Amino acid sequence: MIGFWATLSLNIPDFTRYARSQKDQMVGQLIGLPTTMVFYSFIGIAVTSATVLIYGKAIWDPVTLLGKFESPIVVAVSMFGLTIATLSTNIAANVVAPANSFANMMPRRISYKMGGYITGIIGILIFPWKLIADPEGYIFRWLIAYSALLGSLAGIMICDYYIIRKTNFDLAELFKVNGKFKGWNTPAWIAFVLSLLPVIPGFMVAVGISEAGYFPQTLVNIYSYAWFVTFGISFLLYWMIMKKEH
């Protein structure tokens, strides 16, 4: 679940920047995100559990489940709703942020619309249907693996904003070619790379590169908590390095 929300937690400024106040975005997220996620998770668990009783096996894929229905009207309406849900979810969660990023890379050549097209093409080229074909691989390899990367980024960003800069951020300097933010943030890169090291053994075991007995079991087990591990380590390392430099 953490891996599922890890991307949007970093990209939420793409939406909250349009809020009129800090209170508006906080209330909006508090009402809109936890409540809907709990409700949708409950529906998913309840329906999948019901398939065990009705069909004798757990069917988690909505498309596969719809194939069990005999009424054309039910199937048509359900597929229409599923299509709308898929489009709206992907546009909001998976297109807005990368489209903005591509547009910001080359604003004179790439518009927001073109950034969306580029995102869509890349989304097709990575074969996402292969990721969800195997639920175990999708959860324990894909979701946990990239949540480790995003956890590290989140730790650095939160530490930098709240601890190092005390929420005082010079936005104008971000857009100056020779401003104080030019170049690379070396402490951030150091914290990012080092924070990933503890979860690499577990990742290697999860994807089958290495045998489980090759690494201490503790290192293999903490991979399941990759987001929390990388977040905490990157946060502390970045704080220690920046504190020493300043």
Side-chain angles (χ1 to χ4, degrees), residues 185-202:
N185 188 338
T186 303
W189 276 105
I190 294 174
F192 175 74
V193 173
L194 293 181
S195 67
L196 297 177
L197 296 181
V199 300
I200 290 179

Side-chain angles (χ1 to χ4, degrees), residues 30-111:
L30 183 63
I31 296 176
L33 295 179
T35 53
T36 54
M37 195 59 198
V38 169
F39 176 72
Y40 294 149
S41 298
F42 168 76
I43 293 298
I45 294 172
V47 172
T48 303
S49 300
T51 61
V52 177
L53 299 176
I54 299 173
Y55 300 108
K57 63 178 181 178
I59 303 176
W60 65 273
D61 187 348
V63 177
T64 303
L65 180 58
L66 288 175
K68 299 287 186 179
F69 295 168
E70 298 180 357
S71 173
I73 297 178
V74 172
V75 173
V77 172
S78 299
M79 287 302 297
F80 176 76
L82 184 61
T83 301
I84 296 299
T86 302
L87 288 174
S88 60
T89 299
N90 278 281
I91 290 173
N94 301 325
V95 175
V96 174
N100 278 329
S101 298
F102 285 124
N104 290 333
M105 287 174 59
M106 301 179 66
R108 293 184 178 181
R109 297 179 179 273
I110 302 177
S111 64

Side-chain angles (χ1 to χ4, degrees), residues 12 28 48 72 141:
I12 202 67
T48 303
R141 297 188 186 99

